[in-house]
Amino acid sequence: METTLKAELRDVTGKGAAHKIRATGRVPAVLYGHGVEPVNITVDARDLLHVFHTAGGTNTLVDLELNGDVHLTIPREIQRDYIHSLFLHVDFFAVRRDERITLSVPVMEIGDSVGVRAGGVVEHHLREMEIECLPTDVREQLEADISAMEIGDMLHVRDIAAPANVTILSPPDTPVISVITPAALRVELELELPGEEAPAAAEEAPEEEEEGLAEGAEAPAEGAPAEEGGES
């Protein structure tokens, strides 16, 4: 998806200047990349929020308007203050429509897993995958279909279908998603493993000890007359 964002030049840098810029409702940013000398800019914070939340996420293409020129860009190195819900800084990377680029996109699970219905839980091993494609083929996310996954199954990068005109660069053997037995159920199963009768045997041990002590207590009684006979 592609959207438009207006930018303004800025001639001040540093933490103090950036704080003042954000106080006015704008976000410090940098434009760099193909055919562009790095330049410091600012963008409106509300417009930036609109781009990321309605135009396809952080991997959307942005036509950045600056001083009458339009630069095709993709946002990178997005710094945020999640506590105060603020954008701190954004890099806009200039690209060409006919040149492939590399970027990371999130992996999103789809489908209702057989294993989850049986009581398993989904565990994520890889949240993002690296891809290569033309700017116009950039995807907001890659989909991992977990419908057929049972407890103990795992999806690897090689199992994720690449969209048309997109090459997945992440190592194919890298685990992505698995369906596992919940921790609480694993503990319960471990308690039911062979050998659980050992505690019962341990409970019987005190009774045997008591019987041994009783027998030991009778021994002096039997030997007592002999001692007395020896003394006489």
Side-chain angles (χ1 to χ4, degrees), residues 105-118:
V105 296
V107 179
M108 180 66 65
E109 64 185 72
I110 61 171
D112 185 11
S113 166
V114 175
V116 171
R117 292 200 302 270

Side-chain angles (χ1 to χ4, degrees), residues 21 68 87 93 109 141 155 166 232:
I21 290 172
F87 289 102
F93 181 65
E109 64 185 72
Q141 63 189 31
L155 288 181
V166 173
S232 61

Side-chain angles (χ1 to χ4, degrees), residues 32-37 71-72 93-96 98-99:
Y32 70 100
H34 187 89
V36 178
E37 290 294 328
H71 304 274
L72 180 64
F93 181 65
V95 298
R96 286 186 51 170
D98 59 351
E99 288 188 359

Side-chain angles (χ1 to χ4, degrees), residues 112-188:
D112 185 11
S113 166
V114 175
V116 171
R117 292 200 302 270
V121 295
V122 175
E123 184 174 47
H124 294 265
H125 304 279
L126 189 66
R127 294 286 185 176
E128 292 185 333
M129 293 170 57
E130 189 174 14
I131 65 171
E132 181 184 69
C133 62
L134 292 173
T136 51
D137 293 322
V138 169
R139 294 296 188 271
E140 181 182 353
Q141 63 189 31
L142 294 178
E143 296 181 345
D145 189 352
I146 65 172
S147 302
M149 294 183 67
E150 299 183 0
I151 295 177
D153 288 348
M154 176 180 290
L155 288 181
H156 297 79
V157 168
R158 63 175 176 268
D159 301 316
I160 307 301
N165 304 318
V166 173
T167 302
I168 296 177
L169 301 180
S170 299
D173 293 332
T174 304
V176 179
I177 293 177
S178 61
V179 178
I180 62 173
T181 304
L185 183 56
R186 287 201 299 270
V187 172
E188 183 178 339

